[in-house]
Amino acid sequence: MSCVDFVNGKTKVLGVIGHPIAHTFSPVIHNTLGKILDHNIIYTAYPVEPSRLEGAIKGAHCLQIQGINVTVPHKQEVMAYLEDIDPLARQVGAVNTLKRTETGYVGYNTDVEGLLRCLQNRQVQLKGRRVLLLGAGGAARAAAVMAASQAPKKIWIANRTMENARKLGEDIKAFYGANIEAISWEQIEDLEGIDLCIQTTPIGMSPHTGGSPIGEQVLKNVKVALDLIYNPWKTKFLADAEKAGCQIINGFDMLYYQAVKAYEIWGELKIDAQAQRHVKDILEQYYMQSGRA
Ligand code: NAP
């Protein structure tokens, strides 16, 4: 047995809060980044019940936890306990990354940048293009901000509850004035020339892998299909999209690149593109081999 010496008095502590949190992959991503980049960090997961959120944030600050990721169900509620909030996170209306300052935490949203890097790395450009968002929940808000920020020709938001699609469209228009239209689920069939379809609902997620939010016929009008789900690795939506001839992308890229952006915020550094891809390859391989996919 050898001594454990990679954690010491100078180790920077990072972590993720959520409820439940046991299945999070974030510790694997961040500890791998730390190891490969040779940084003295350790990242762990903290289960935090909603009623204890304020205490958790105060306690983390006292304990000098330098960076915190925030996941379901705290992404909006945590905003009440922060020192400051980044303008982009305000646009999304949710925070997923906290950086410690002496007086409190500053909140950021790295899902927007995570999605953008995911698309850029796959050579998908949105300027002047048409985007269809399926869903209007938390992840869709980040997707809508990302898409609107790229000067697209059109954004359609289709959602089971049309009112939520309308609300999201209005919120995003207030910042970007983009050409956004809320449509009903039925209207999706009338759309043509969809450059990118972003699937943000939980439909098709394990263990309910048989479902897909839209039919194969619609996917014939789509060039690139992105599903935010990564378990299973290829959802029915993506399998159908592939059959229809679309370029397909799953949610692992977004998960990874939002983590990279958070890591960069905490360390006030930029990880070069080659290193980003190198770590992603390692993580992807691990994820597949660990039987999670
Ligand atoms: P959320 O806020 O609860 O929103 C869920 C959305 O899906 C809502 O628009 C909801 O419509 C719709 N929906 C739910 N069940 C549906 C059904 N049976 N039929 C039709 N529409 C349905 O959830 P979220 O946080 O946005 O997460 C959504 C998905 O994105 C999850 O699968 C999550 O794992 C994934 N995600 C992935 C990443 C990543 O890094 N890859 C990050 C965040 C989220 P209503 O408005 O009608 O309720």
Side-chain angles (χ1 to χ4, degrees), residues 196-267:
L196 172 67
C197 175
I198 310 182
Q199 195 311 92
T200 78
T201 79
I203 300 171
M205 190 158 67
S206 185
H208 307 291
T209 53
S212 172
I214 54 174
E216 290 176 45
Q217 203 53 34
V218 178
L219 287 161
K220 292 195 174 130
N221 299 319
V222 173
K223 285 201 182 110
V224 182
L226 165 59
D227 198 330
L228 299 196
I229 295 171
Y230 47 90
N231 183 13
W233 196 252
K234 197 188 283 180
T235 54
K236 180 167 186 329
F237 167 77
L238 288 186
D240 289 348
E242 193 172 46
K243 262 191 248 158
C246 306
Q247 176 185 348
I248 61 165
I249 311 169
N250 76 7
F252 191 85
D253 281 26
M254 176 187 176
L255 174 77
Y256 173 65
Y257 287 114
Q258 63 77 29
V260 169
K261 177 65 182 170
Y263 195 96
E264 290 178 341
I265 289 171
W266 294 328

Side-chain angles (χ1 to χ4, degrees), residues 102 122 143 145 169 181 200 203-204 211 217 290:
E102 273 315 302
R122 307 238 178 196
V145 168
E181 190 185 345
T200 78
I203 300 171
Q217 203 53 34
S290 66

Side-chain angles (χ1 to χ4, degrees), residues 87-115:
L88 193 66
R90 278 196 199 282
Q91 287 174 19
V92 179
V95 149
N96 76 335
T97 298
L98 311 184
K99 179 174 167 57
R100 189 183 186 279
T101 69
E102 273 315 302
T103 44
Y105 286 101
V106 179
Y108 298 85
N109 188 301
T110 69
D111 283 336
V112 177
E113 176 72 15
L115 264 173

